[in-house]
Amino acid sequence: MKRTEIKSLLELRDFGSEVIVKGWVRTKRGSKNVAFIALNDGSTINNVQIVVDVDDNTADVLDCIHTGAAISVSGKLVESSGSGQSVEVHADTIDVLGIANPDEYPLQPKKHSLEFLREKAHLRYRTNTFSAIARIRHKMIFAIHKFFNDRGFYNIHSPIITGSDAEGAGEMFQVTTLPLDNVPKNEDGEVDFGNDFFGKAANLTVSGQLEAELAALALSKVYTFGPTFRAENSNTTRHLAEFWMIEPEFAFGDIIDDMDLAEDMLKYVIEYALENCKDDLSFLSKRQADEEKNKKAEERSMELIEKLKFVINQPFERLTYTEAIDILRNSKPNKKKRFQYVIEGWGADLQSEHERYLVEKHFKKPVILTDYPASIKAFYMKQNDDGKTVRAMDILFPQIGEIIGGSQREEDYDKLHKRIKEMDIPEEEIWWYMETRKFGTVPHAGFGLGFERLILFLTGMGNIRDVIPFPRTPMNLEF
Ligand code: ATP
Ligand code: MN
């Protein structure tokens, strides 16, 4: 007989039928005559209750069963008399597939701190919180591909190892096979990359955008969804050294189309989560409420599911960087110097505290800021006629700050060329990118969505290290 997964089993109603169920023990409790085992196999956040009559046959096997053990149970499906669940399994036979010695197994049937679980990242999938997040991550990957596929976008694999460091999105990780204890140098004392694996310096990519642009200028609508690496030493709750980014890029469109696409995509995937991740979201909602019990009422976040609905039910606020600076300059926390970085004037880069003020305090909804100063944005963004600003757009979310960064791209060869000169970007590194502006150039735009920032928002978790299975952050590469 085949195993029934717990997700399907909990929906069965043919009481009395024989079933086989396998999974990992969450808890075992009971009395002299009867034992109750809560079993989970990851197919759902819900456990199935296994009821075992204690007799000569089962006593020994029950003695080997502790939290974390893997077991196989065959028995009868019965209607549950307890509350919460409609079915349970009355065990006929139980096999222990893998024991978990309670003196060694680190997860106890009680609440563990997230910090503790980060040190047990190899086992934290076994908790409700981390299995819920893993399931939601999967559903969101699927929803993102579905969103773009349904709209005729092609998924492009952009390279992970790159020979250009023109992106300027932060520090890069170098990829090399040169011996670190004996690096070959040229006559000027510089590292001789001619002897390196690729015959030139190589890095891990910080973005697939430049390559996606090449594809968009032939296929019209493309997107990448790949790993991204940044060696920035920022130990925040929103930055990882290795994260996943979704980067759509489309031809024949401008910054308005870009904002519309980004807003539609965010709303679509949030709606998808509300429809398809109900059990996991309600668990995470209770978890968040529990975490915030001791906070003052005004410091608590909105209830998770209410927050998700709130975001999809209204248009995002759209305004320019210049308008935002005016709001920030006149804001209370700025006047009272309660911002860590006080906004002095136009040209300042916005920090997460400013972004969150605009979203959480001023507009009380997601915000799209456009037309940033050219000086704080990348070289490829389309220059506005004012000579100061570029057609950038960032989407700011409650609790997160920037979740998306995008722009219309500069399609004019001369303007782009002038800009890379000003910014000292070596032409020989991006001649191929420049050529797209020589041959059949068209208006085009795109953006980057940090996948983990989206998952942070959806799950209500507070730290990005907890929404990716194996976080890579400065001084941390244990698993
Ligand atoms: P930030 O200002 O928050 O550091 P950024 O401006 O460097 O972000 P972009 O280069 O615009 O980010 O990247 C696009 C998106 O990728 C961001 O909007 C964000 O969602 C995500 N992102 C950027 N850096 C990281 C990181 N280190 N870890 C996780 N996600 C990131
Ligand atoms: Mn950005």
Side-chain angles (χ1 to χ4, degrees):
M1 207 165 68
K2 263 176 65 181
R3 149 190 182 226
T4 307
E5 289 183 23
I6 292 171
K7 184 172 197 272
S8 325
L9 187 135
L10 292 174
E11 280 157 18
L12 295 178
R13 293 297 174 268
D14 45 344
F15 303 119
S17 64
E18 291 290 330
V19 290
I20 294 180
V21 53
K22 300 182 185 188
W24 292 269
V25 173
R26 286 296 175 79
T27 59
K28 181 186 77 171
R29 61 190 173 82
S31 63
K32 224 168 91 207
N33 303 320
V34 60
F36 301 98
I37 297 169
L39 197 66
N40 188 284
D41 67 1
S43 59
T44 159
I45 193 152
N46 300 307
N47 303 328
V48 65
Q49 171 154 281
I50 311 292
V51 184
V52 193
D53 292 325
V54 183
D55 56 29
D56 292 348
N57 289 327
T58 56
D60 285 350
V61 80
L62 279 170
D63 275 346
C64 308
I65 294 176
H66 304 280
T67 296
I71 60 172
S72 172
V73 179
S74 66
K76 261 186 228 41
L77 191 75
V78 296
E79 191 162 7
S80 177
S81 45
S83 65
Q85 233 145 65
S86 45
V87 302
E88 58 192 32
V89 173
H90 264 201
D92 293 325
T93 57
I94 302 183
D95 294 314
V96 177
L97 303 176
I99 59 159
N101 183 341
D103 297 331
E104 292 173 34
Y105 187 63
L107 305 182
Q108 297 307 314
K110 60 159 198 181
K111 202 172 146 67
H112 291 291
S113 75
L114 295 170
E115 291 77 10
F116 173 80
L117 290 171
R118 264 173 235 148
E119 289 166 13
K120 308 284 175 220
H122 58 307
L123 294 168
R124 65 180 183 167
Y125 277 126
R126 307 256 188 115
T127 65
N128 281 333
T129 302
F130 288 91
S131 61
I133 294 166
R135 281 184 294 269
I136 291 174
R137 269 186 80 100
H138 163 76
K139 296 277 188 195
M140 287 301 97
I141 294 166
F142 183 78
I144 287 162
H145 283 300
K146 182 163 165 51
F147 174 85
F148 285 114
N149 183 63
D150 287 354
R151 281 157 190 75
F153 282 71
Y154 297 111
N155 183 211
I156 298 293
H157 284 159
S158 46
I160 291 167
I161 299 175
T162 161
S164 91
D165 63 357
E167 241 291 297
E171 294 295 308
M172 302 182 97
F173 287 100
Q174 207 159 70
V175 177
T176 180
T177 53
L178 291 178
L180 284 181
D181 51 2
N182 185 20
V183 179
K185 301 266 175 77
N186 63 20
E187 283 153 17
D188 300 333
E190 293 160 344
V191 178
D192 181 10
F193 287 106
N195 283 318
D196 203 350
F197 189 88
F198 298 104
K200 63 188 284 196
N203 293 296
L204 293 179
T205 185
V206 293
S207 156
Q209 179 201 318
L210 302 189
E211 291 86 357
E213 281 189 53
L214 312 183
L217 292 169
L219 296 160
S220 285
K221 293 190 283 187
V222 302
Y223 69 106
T224 69
F225 191 158
T228 310
F229 308 88
R230 299 201 181 166
E232 51 198 356
N233 204 353
S234 43
N235 244 317
T236 76
T237 55
R238 294 167 298 105
H239 289 91
L240 290 163
E242 175 182 298
F243 63 101
W244 291 73
M245 187 144 65
I246 297 101
E247 294 179 277
E249 195 70 36
F250 55 93
F252 314 112
D254 62 13
I255 191 169
I256 308 289
D257 302 314
D258 205 28
M259 290 191 272
D260 291 345
L261 180 72
E263 185 168 341
D264 282 355
M265 181 198 63
L266 287 169
K267 288 178 171 174
Y268 177 92
V269 299
I270 293 170
E271 180 118 51
Y272 191 93
L274 285 167
E275 273 299 304
N276 295 280
C277 309
K278 288 199 173 89
D279 290 350
D280 289 322
L281 286 177
S282 29
F283 170 80
L284 290 167
S285 162
K286 283 192 214 99
R287 187 195 163 279
Q288 177 183 293
D290 215 44
E291 289 278 286
E292 297 188 341
K293 251 192 339 237
N294 299 328
K295 283 193 183 172
K296 282 189 236 132
E298 67 270 19
E299 283 168 12
R300 281 184 213 141
S301 357
M302 205 185 256
E303 189 276 324
L304 183 63
I305 292 167
E306 193 189 331
K307 177 187 85 179
L308 302 182
K309 289 187 178 153
F310 176 77
V311 164
I312 53 182
N313 284 335
Q314 57 187 325
F316 296 176
E317 187 72 32
R318 300 182 182 191
L319 69 155
T320 64
Y321 165 91
T322 304
E323 290 164 334
I325 285 290
D326 277 342
I327 293 170
L328 288 167
R329 224 177 0 206
N330 294 315
S331 71
K332 238 198 205 159
N334 203 60
K335 287 186 171 156
K336 300 210 158 151
K337 301 208 185 317
R338 260 190 272 125
F339 281 141
Q340 201 187 333
Y341 297 88
V342 173
I343 299 279
E344 307 281 4
W346 199 89
D349 204 354
L350 299 186
Q351 305 296 325
S352 145
E353 56 180 348
H354 309 125
E355 298 173 341
R356 292 185 58 177
Y357 174 85
L358 291 169
V359 173
E360 292 166 20
K361 298 281 185 313
H362 191 83
F363 290 109
K364 297 191 167 56
K365 57 169 144 166
V367 169
I368 313 185
L369 289 189
T370 60
D371 303 289
Y372 281 78
S375 54
I376 56 170
K377 289 291 182 188
F379 75 94
Y380 47 71
M381 296 192 180
K382 185 167 176 64
Q383 298 158 30
N384 281 320
D385 293 339
D386 62 10
K388 298 195 304 196
T389 61
V390 287
R391 237 164 261 182
M393 67 104 183
D394 278 8
I395 302 194
L396 316 179
F397 257 36
Q399 167 208 350
I400 310 287
E402 180 187 332
I403 192 164
I404 280 182
S407 68
Q408 187 173 334
R409 318 307 189 189
E410 182 56 77
E411 84 272 18
D412 182 282
Y413 181 90
D414 294 332
K415 286 188 183 161
L416 191 61
H417 190 254
K418 189 163 163 264
R419 190 79 188 124
I420 67 167
K421 286 274 161 228
E422 283 167 9
M423 292 176 84
D424 277 333
I425 295 169
E427 260 184 279
E428 64 276 13
E429 273 189 25
I430 51 160
W431 60 271
W432 43 273
Y433 182 78
M434 297 303 294
E435 281 206 350
T436 57
R437 273 61 171 176
K438 274 201 229 165
F439 308 131
T441 189
V442 295
H444 63 287
F447 62 80
L449 164 69
F451 186 59
E452 284 72 23
R453 298 231 178 133
L454 173 69
I455 304 296
L456 259 187
F457 179 72
L458 281 168
T459 57
M461 299 297 287
N463 192 319
I464 201 161
R465 290 166 180 76
D466 296 327
V467 297
I468 188 165
F470 302 102
R472 271 80 180 93
T473 50
M475 305 310 285
N476 168 32
L477 189 62
E478 182 63 28
F479 300 97

